[in-house]
Amino acid sequence: MFSKAIVRTPCKAMLEGLTEAEMGLPDYDLACEQHQGYISALKECGLQVTILPPLESYPDSCFVEDVALLTSKCAILTHPGAPSRRGEVPHIVKAVEQSYPSFEHINFPGTVEAGDIMMVGNHFYIGLSARTNAQGVEQLIDILGKYDLTGSMVEMSELLHLKTGVSYLENNNLLTFGEMHHNPIFNQFKRIEIAKQESYAANSVWINGTILVPKGFPNALNAIQQLGHPTIELPMSEFQKLDGGLSCLSLRF
């Protein structure tokens, strides 16, 4: 169960954010409106939400998940693989240290973005991607081991981040897309396969028994609702244009 979340207000410079989506520029005002809806959903799920101010020097800074991993036992500050995002890390420290008196660090040449990390209980699946390298994965697994937590590396070749293609919805249920449909590391899970045309919905988020689902993907929503959890649909169009999903917009702990 989660009790808190940290989010960061989108900045106007988000129009210059990193993206491979080819969906056009986001509408800043609509993005802010969608972000407010996201915050309301977090609160509806029972979370106390800390809202950080925009960082105009960092266009992707609203995707706050990537710069830290907050576990039940420790906080780990990452070293993003995207050079333009590395300066975001010091700006998360003040918010994190209110709940974690000390933290661990991923250090160069290791790179880790927490969009590549999926938590299942006390185990962490870590995607090897263009943003998270093998040295970063090794450092992360070593740090987790200090706190009696475990981690394993997930090979992948098609996804930007691991959680672009896989989301854990508790009770052994896993949303998958693309190459994650058949990755043997997830054979023990019940996989709910999301079709290519609704792939964005593979990044949905379980919070305290409720599942947040991006709006506009009816087949994925129906499959998720079969699990019996309440769902909240959220419009995410402006963040989708920047390759950002529901999990990317908050640190939940």
Side-chain angles (χ1 to χ4, degrees), residues 5 20 72 98 102 110 113 125 140 173 175 191 197 206 212 220 224:
E20 299 175 1
S72 61
Q98 293 178 14
S102 62
E113 293 186 7
Y125 291 93
L140 181 56
N173 294 304
L175 281 186
R191 292 188 236 212
Q197 60 268 28
W206 181 98
L212 308 187
I224 291 167

Side-chain angles (χ1 to χ4, degrees), residues 224-243:
I224 291 167
Q225 287 177 331
Q226 298 307 306
L227 299 176
H229 295 289
T231 55
I232 300 175
E233 275 193 289
L234 292 171
M236 291 286 292
S237 60
E238 304 317 292
F239 300 102
Q240 186 179 3
K241 293 174 182 177
L242 296 175
D243 297 326

Side-chain angles (χ1 to χ4, degrees), residues 191-241:
R191 292 188 236 212
I192 302 160
E193 297 187 359
I194 303 299
K196 182 177 181 180
Q197 60 268 28
E198 294 198 359
S199 60
Y200 185 68
N203 183 259
S204 293
V205 183
W206 181 98
I207 304 176
N208 299 344
T210 295
I211 299 174
L212 308 187
V213 184
K215 189 176 180 65
F217 305 96
N219 295 323
L221 177 65
N222 180 65
I224 291 167
Q225 287 177 331
Q226 298 307 306
L227 299 176
H229 295 289
T231 55
I232 300 175
E233 275 193 289
L234 292 171
M236 291 286 292
S237 60
E238 304 317 292
F239 300 102
Q240 186 179 3
K241 293 174 182 177

